[in-house]
Amino acid sequence: MTDTDAVPARRRRVAVATDPLIEEYLEEVWLEKGLAANTLAAYRRDLTQFADYLAPRQLLAARENDLQQFFASSLAAGLAPRSVGRLLSCLRGYYRHALRRGRIDADPTAGVAHPRLPRRLPRSLSERDVERLLASPDVETPLGLRDRAMLELLYATGLRVSELIGLRVESVNRRQGAVRVVGKGDKERLVPIGVVALDWLLRYEREALDALDPERRAGVLFPSRLARPMTRQTFWHAIRRWAKLAGLRDLPSPHTLRHAFATHLLNHGADLRAVQMMLGHADLSTTQIYTHVAKERLKQLHATHHPRG
């Protein structure tokens, strides 16, 4: 069933002519935001669907109850909550525009809440897939050794990619085996590295860093091949390249290793608040999503390996 099929049948009709107020709104929003043609077409379709539902009344005559009934009918007809949320966002923009122009006295969408969406669990990697990914760079080359050290450090610390590529040589306390990170909101935290990642980092510094940036012009721990600070896109492409070489079916992003770091720690009994501190989450509820990932993984292991799974 398509989204169009799921639109409530009540008073549905084919619009004979396009509502001039819809076209005026679309023209203004295009001028303000420079939206693509496909986006404008989706806005027009959403607004026309609600106009058809309201007919013979006009869009500007809608009340909150009309919207509530429209969305309830849409959900009952099979429209996905995410699609209903998109409809609401489109209508909200239209009515806020009408309110600013003085065409209505109150925004009928103001009291309408977005439908509850199912929680999306972050995509992670199994421990075996992580091992295959970490082993894929050619460590006999400076760039390969750099990438191996970056992957090891990312998996060992759960850093955000922006935090990783922004590390400076002095950010690492090699004696204590920890890295000092400045995260969101300029909040500083100290994250343990672990023996394996520290060994790869020290080898990279001994054998590859001078080859990549002999004069330390970049001033960062992981410079690009041009001795400049690395971009997120550069590292993203590197991970995809090594993942393909490792034969991984689902190509990861740098954030996937951050998810793997948190999930694998929790799978092995780590304390949730300790994981929160290492990830740099301000709110524990942000970290709690990883407990769901861990539980799902444990259920899969039970189903696969338990004799009565």
Side-chain angles (χ1 to χ4, degrees):
M1 177 182 290
T2 65
D3 286 358
T4 304
D5 295 333
V7 173
R10 174 177 173 262
R11 298 184 187 144
R12 192 157 79 195
R13 59 179 175 81
V14 177
V16 176
T18 305
D19 187 331
L21 292 179
I22 292 178
E23 292 305 313
E24 177 191 292
Y25 167 67
L26 293 177
E27 184 175 345
E28 291 206 14
V29 80
W30 176 77
L31 289 171
E32 289 175 9
K33 301 181 180 180
L35 299 180
N38 287 344
T39 304
L40 288 172
Y43 278 23
R44 180 180 291 107
R45 184 171 60 250
D46 292 345
L47 289 165
T48 302
Q49 286 175 3
F50 186 52
D52 289 346
Y53 177 84
L54 277 178
R57 288 187 295 143
Q58 299 297 312
L59 278 174
L60 295 181
R63 296 293 178 261
E64 180 180 323
N65 188 55
D66 297 318
L67 288 148
Q68 297 282 15
Q69 291 181 2
F70 173 65
F71 294 133
S73 300
S74 299
L75 288 167
L79 197 64
R82 199 168 300 279
S83 297
V84 173
R86 190 204 68 222
L87 274 169
L88 174 56
S89 295
C90 176
L91 291 169
R92 185 162 281 159
Y94 174 82
Y95 285 112
R96 285 176 178 173
H97 167 81
L99 187 64
R100 287 195 300 270
R101 293 293 181 273
R103 294 200 173 100
I104 54 176
D105 296 326
D107 176 4
T109 68
V112 181
H114 270 272
R116 292 180 63 86
L117 299 177
R119 175 176 289 209
R120 281 186 171 180
L121 298 180
R123 192 161 58 91
S124 187
L125 292 172
S126 69
E127 293 180 38
R128 180 179 296 180
D129 283 347
V130 169
E131 291 295 338
R132 290 164 61 193
L133 175 62
L134 297 181
S136 59
D138 179 5
V139 295
E140 300 306 316
T141 67
L143 286 174
L145 187 51
R146 179 204 66 186
D147 289 352
R148 176 65 186 263
M150 293 183 77
L151 290 171
E152 291 280 357
L153 190 59
L154 190 60
Y155 180 54
T157 59
L159 299 186
R160 300 176 179 92
V161 63
S162 58
E163 296 169 344
L164 179 72
I165 62 176
L167 288 177
R168 305 185 69 80
V169 174
E170 61 269 20
S171 300
V172 180
N173 188 318
R174 293 145 190 84
R175 188 171 58 184
Q176 292 184 355
V179 60
R180 180 169 48 83
V181 184
V182 179
K184 289 185 177 180
D186 289 330
K187 292 184 179 179
E188 188 175 293
R189 67 186 191 278
L190 199 65
V191 184
I193 296 175
V195 175
V196 176
L198 183 59
D199 286 345
W200 279 107
L201 181 61
L202 294 176
R203 178 180 169 183
Y204 156 72
E205 289 183 314
R206 287 194 311 268
E207 301 178 18
L209 182 54
D210 283 340
L212 293 172
D213 189 9
E215 299 178 7
R216 297 292 195 271
R217 286 183 299 160
V220 293
L221 184 58
F222 299 113
S224 71
R225 67 170 70 236
L226 300 176
R228 297 173 181 168
M230 189 184 298
T231 65
R232 290 181 298 175
Q233 290 78 10
T234 298
F235 188 52
W236 183 85
H237 286 298
I239 284 189
R240 306 271 288 190
R241 182 171 67 253
W242 298 126
K244 287 180 181 179
L245 190 64
L248 299 188
R249 185 171 56 185
D250 296 324
L251 299 182
S253 69
H255 219 65
T256 311
L257 276 178
R258 177 170 162 89
H259 297 325
F261 160 81
T263 305
H264 298 170
L265 276 175
L266 292 167
N267 280 343
H268 288 276
D271 178 73
L272 184 63
R273 196 164 293 279
V275 175
Q276 175 198 3
M277 293 173 63
M278 287 186 280
L279 288 172
H281 286 161
D283 192 337
L284 186 62
S285 63
T286 309
T287 316
Q288 283 176 329
I289 190 170
Y290 294 105
T291 64
H292 297 282
V293 178
K295 287 175 183 175
E296 287 301 313
R297 175 64 180 153
L298 291 174
K299 285 197 291 187
Q300 292 173 14
L301 288 172
H302 184 277
T304 303
H305 299 291
H306 195 277
R308 295 184 180 274

